[in-house]
Amino acid sequence: MDDSISCLGWPNNPQTGNVDIVITGSSSANVLLPNDGGSLGQRVIGVLGGLDLHGIPRNVSWTRLAATASAGQRSITLVEPVDWHAGDEILLTTTDTRIDHIDRVTVVNVTGNGQVVTLNRALTYSHIVIHNVFPNGEIYHVAGAVGLLTRNVRVINRSPASEKIGFRIYVSDYSTNIWDPIYSEYFSTYYKGYARLSDTQFIGFGQFIDAPLEDKREAIHLYNLGDWNISRPTYIDSCSFDTGYYSA
């Protein structure tokens, strides 16, 4: 839990090296607020001050297919150029009635002015594009989405998948009374958190709690922050949510 400022890169000066923040620990251990302020739950990064996580910006993190990618293909064509690299992992979303018909593949290279991506394996499923141009000039384009999963800054849960208890980032406010030994009295102290998160990959996030009247314990929970404030801004930009429950 943090009531100061923790940073890994800044919005205008991102982290350029590869950094993993690994969340471990027992799923039965709760993170407690000071002065009997209650519990934030297990495997949680509690932000009552500031949190900055900023990886290397990518020109495109989420785009669409330009042409149908059939099962068995080892390359795909995108609607726009990307700066993806060999070794990057990408995800092709389903375009049929089965939510599990996704393809997770690795980039081998990018050619064709940045729009043709060669893959490390053949696609398991077909990902459809429907493109029509009507006589009045209107364009009708419905296409499967392609997302970039890889980021150089990652927050990773290391608990067993069978527990279904990943990590959370909880950004909120908190007030408490702190004893001042000089004046021999309590003073009220108020903390208000903020988080600026960009180009970061979250792996194994969220906590699956299937019980009445329970919140869904999503990966990033923003609570009681009030109106947006330029001095304490909170935003999530171009991040990757990879394998978990309830993103935000």
Side-chain angles (χ1 to χ4, degrees):
M1 186 178 64
D2 188 14
D3 58 9
S4 58
I5 298 176
S6 297
C7 69
L8 190 58
W10 297 99
N12 59 352
N13 187 21
Q15 170 68 32
T16 57
N18 295 326
V19 177
D20 288 347
I21 300 170
V22 180
I23 308 298
T24 60
S26 170
S27 61
S28 62
N30 287 327
V31 176
L32 301 177
L33 289 167
N35 301 317
D36 299 319
S39 168
L40 293 180
Q42 63 270 61
R43 292 202 182 104
V44 61
I45 300 174
V47 183
L48 305 175
L51 176 64
D52 274 282
L53 299 176
H54 303 281
I56 298 172
R58 311 298 288 270
N59 74 330
V60 174
S61 60
W62 190 257
T63 187
R64 297 209 173 257
L65 293 168
T68 293
S70 300
Q73 283 187 207
R74 294 183 67 100
S75 68
I76 58 175
T77 303
L78 306 175
V79 297
E80 59 186 323
V82 297
D83 64 352
W84 302 347
H85 314 302
D88 283 346
E89 281 193 294
I90 62 174
L91 189 77
L92 284 76
T93 63
T94 183
T95 57
D96 60 34
T97 58
R98 290 287 300 273
I99 196 170
D100 58 333
H101 283 186
I102 62 173
D103 273 294
R104 181 174 181 145
V105 290
T106 301
V107 173
V108 173
N109 60 45
V110 180
T111 57
N113 294 321
Q115 290 179 257
V116 178
V117 182
T118 303
L119 311 174
N120 68 316
R121 65 166 179 84
L123 295 174
T124 303
Y125 308 105
S126 292
H127 305 271
I128 298 170
V129 172
I130 302 172
H131 184 89
N132 286 315
V133 180
F134 295 98
N136 64 0
E138 289 187 8
I139 297 175
Y140 178 82
H141 186 87
V142 179
V146 185
L148 175 68
L149 293 172
T150 300
R151 302 291 193 276
N152 67 302
V153 173
R154 306 190 300 176
V155 182
I156 305 172
N157 176 51
R158 282 286 184 253
S159 66
S162 58
E163 288 188 354
K164 300 182 179 179
I165 302 294
F167 66 84
R168 304 180 71 201
I169 297 176
Y170 184 88
V171 188
S172 186
D173 64 346
Y174 170 66
S175 61
T176 186
N177 292 321
I178 296 179
W179 176 256
D180 189 322
I182 297 177
Y183 295 97
S184 299
E185 61 178 306
Y186 285 96
F187 286 90
S188 178
T189 303
Y190 178 73
Y191 303 100
K192 182 177 180 180
Y194 70 94
R196 300 183 293 186
L197 312 174
S198 69
D199 298 285
T200 299
Q201 185 175 4
F202 301 99
I203 303 173
F205 55 83
Q207 299 171 357
F208 183 80
I209 306 294
D210 189 14
L213 304 180
E214 280 279 352
D215 72 78
K216 295 303 182 184
R217 300 192 184 179
E218 49 279 286
I220 300 177
H221 188 86
L222 312 175
Y223 180 71
N224 208 34
L225 299 181
D227 293 338
W228 189 86
N229 188 319
I230 193 171
S231 67
R232 300 181 73 81
T234 289
Y235 60 80
I236 304 167
D237 180 29
S238 192
C239 290
S240 164
F241 291 86
D242 181 358
T243 315
Y245 302 97
Y246 319 118
S247 55

